[in-house]
Amino acid sequence: MIYSHKQIAWAILLLLSWIFSFTLLAVYLIGPITGLLIFSGFVVLVAFLFHGMTVTVKDNTIKWGFAFGWFGQTLPLSEVVSYQAVENSWRHGIGLRISHDGFVYSAHGFKAVELVLQDETKIRLGTNDQAGLIAALDKQKK
């Protein structure tokens, strides 16, 4: 069985669109200054890199990453000791970060699946399909 689910990062895209609109307004009002154009390009690049996150479970591995698998990881399921559905708080944020209780990879929303690894590292994978991801992990772990 192969499980693959992509969650679109609506909050990130909305925030970056808002920032980009102000840079376009600045370019319109004061002209195409090099710094503004570079900043606009940077905002577009960040939107491209973090537009969504995909989680895939297949061949006894779990893989996740933003955009085209960048800024993610692939782990053999043998390294995963346990997993459970969790609810992230606002402190976990969105994107890729280290939080007070482990690593967080999240595109949008507060629902996640927390993986606990053999070395006791905790990784939270944001998803709007907790039940599907846990079912896929259950099938692969058997």
Side-chain angles (χ1 to χ4, degrees), residues 4-87:
S4 184
H5 180 72
K6 181 173 187 171
Q7 184 179 22
I8 302 298
W10 295 111
I12 293 171
L13 292 175
L14 183 65
L15 176 65
L16 292 174
S17 296
W18 182 69
I19 292 169
F20 187 69
S21 69
F22 281 106
T23 59
L24 287 180
L25 179 63
V27 167
Y28 174 74
L29 292 175
I30 59 179
I33 298 172
T34 304
L36 280 175
L37 296 176
I38 291 172
F39 181 74
S40 296
F42 176 75
V43 170
V44 170
L45 178 65
V46 170
F48 176 73
L49 292 177
F50 292 97
H51 72 274
M53 187 177 94
T54 303
V55 178
T56 304
V57 178
K58 70 175 184 176
D59 300 331
N60 291 313
T61 62
I62 183 166
K63 178 181 180 180
W64 64 90
F66 292 92
F68 302 103
W70 298 331
F71 308 109
Q73 199 172 354
T74 301
L75 285 175
L77 290 178
S78 60
E79 287 188 30
V80 178
V81 175
S82 65
Y83 48 88
Q84 65 178 341
V86 293
E87 198 76 20

Side-chain angles (χ1 to χ4, degrees), residues 1-7 53-65 77 111-113 115 125-141:
M1 174 195 171
I2 296 175
Y3 170 87
S4 184
H5 180 72
K6 181 173 187 171
Q7 184 179 22
M53 187 177 94
T54 303
V55 178
T56 304
V57 178
K58 70 175 184 176
D59 300 331
N60 291 313
T61 62
I62 183 166
K63 178 181 180 180
W64 64 90
L77 290 178
K111 294 183 182 206
V113 172
L115 308 175
L125 303 176
T127 182
N128 56 352
D129 184 25
Q130 285 176 319
L133 179 53
I134 288 177
L137 289 168
D138 285 343
K139 285 187 179 183
Q140 289 286 309
K141 288 287 276 186

